[in-house]
Amino acid sequence: MWRDLVVCERVQQSPDTVAYGLARPDGTALPKALPGQYISVQVRLADGARQIRQYSLTRAPRQEQWGITVKAVPAGTIAGVGIPAGELSNSLHQNVFEGDYLSCSLPYGDLILHDRPDPLLLVSAGIGCTPIIGMLHYLARTNSDRDITVLHADQSPGRHAHRRELSDLVEQTPSARLIHWYEDLGVRSSTGTVRRGLIDLDDIPIDPRVRAYLCGPPVFMDVVRQHLVNRHVPQAHVSYEVFGPDTWTPTAPAA
Ligand SMILES: Cc1cc2nc3c(=O)[nH]c(=O)nc-3n(C[C@H](O)[C@H](O)[C@H](O)COP(=O)(O)OP(=O)(O)OC[C@H]3O[C@@H](n4cnc5c(N)ncnc54)[C@H](O)[C@@H]3O)c2cc1C
């Protein structure tokens, strides 16, 4: 199940995110991955313990190279109590560079983009962009003519990992459109496609047949999911990924 892949690329995507390109050391094809899937990465930490974490594939289904992007989880406080910095994400940022090896699993995951003609809504926030980037690579490569709306929310343009790649992929997919929301837009003015503030779907056309894929913090996904359900999108058409233990219980839609 585990295989050592070589880090062939390391790109600082934003102050707290690093993208890694991973390949087989002998250059042969990697196992097939479906758009939206993730791999597990196993790392021996400084205390000798082996830890495993999951990272969504940003380049699926390319078979010559996989891509993952890791956000370094900072130390902080919750309700006044200090919590430590994330172990594995910070270890990767500090210790893993081009030419190093990473022990990786096969691709897994149920958040899979199925080939259907229905309109598509891809919604992400922060590091939740990763499976969506993987899906958009697939849609661009297959010249998809699905009606695609891509919505992304982030702190600021400078902290938005894969910002340029997201815009480029949407441009390569003629039937796709993109709107960003940034909490901090700096001195820039809000436009129709780059907006200031938190995500707001009120003026976004939503076809009730849409297939929606969500990835971001649970609070964000709650807001988006509730909005979709209120606009008559069946709950079964809304798929999501939680970047942590899947204890998310979506709140019931407003009556
Ligand atoms: C399917 C899936 C896909 C994912 N894809 C991505 C991706 O593409 N990119 C990405 O960056 N991440 C992704 N993740 C998240 C990733 O797997 C890791 O959870 C993340 O990198 C944090 O791991 P860590 O070891 O750095 O943090 P950990 O050390 O596991 O810590 C996690 C959190 O727990 C807190 N914590 C730790 N110890 C304590 C304690 N004693 N008391 C209180 N709080 C504590 C930490 O402060 C931190 O906030 C994904 C997760 C899943 C399940």
Side-chain angles (χ1 to χ4, degrees), residues 32-33 58-65 133-144 169 172-174:
K32 267 212 162 105
T58 54
R59 294 189 195 160
R62 273 176 69 172
Q63 281 187 270
E64 62 276 23
Q65 207 185 95
I133 291 283
M135 291 178 186
L136 281 167
H137 270 288
Y138 174 79
L139 292 162
R141 261 169 71 130
T142 54
N143 296 318
S144 174
L169 286 167
Q172 288 163 31
T173 316

Side-chain angles (χ1 to χ4, degrees), residues 32 77 203 228:
K32 267 212 162 105
T77 52
D203 69 341
L228 296 178

Side-chain angles (χ1 to χ4, degrees), residues 38 53-56 69 71 83-84 86-89 130 243:
Y38 62 86
R53 300 287 186 274
Q54 289 68 43
Y55 294 100
S56 298
T69 299
K71 176 179 176 175
I83 54 165
E87 277 197 287
L88 201 138
S89 59
T130 51
F243 279 4

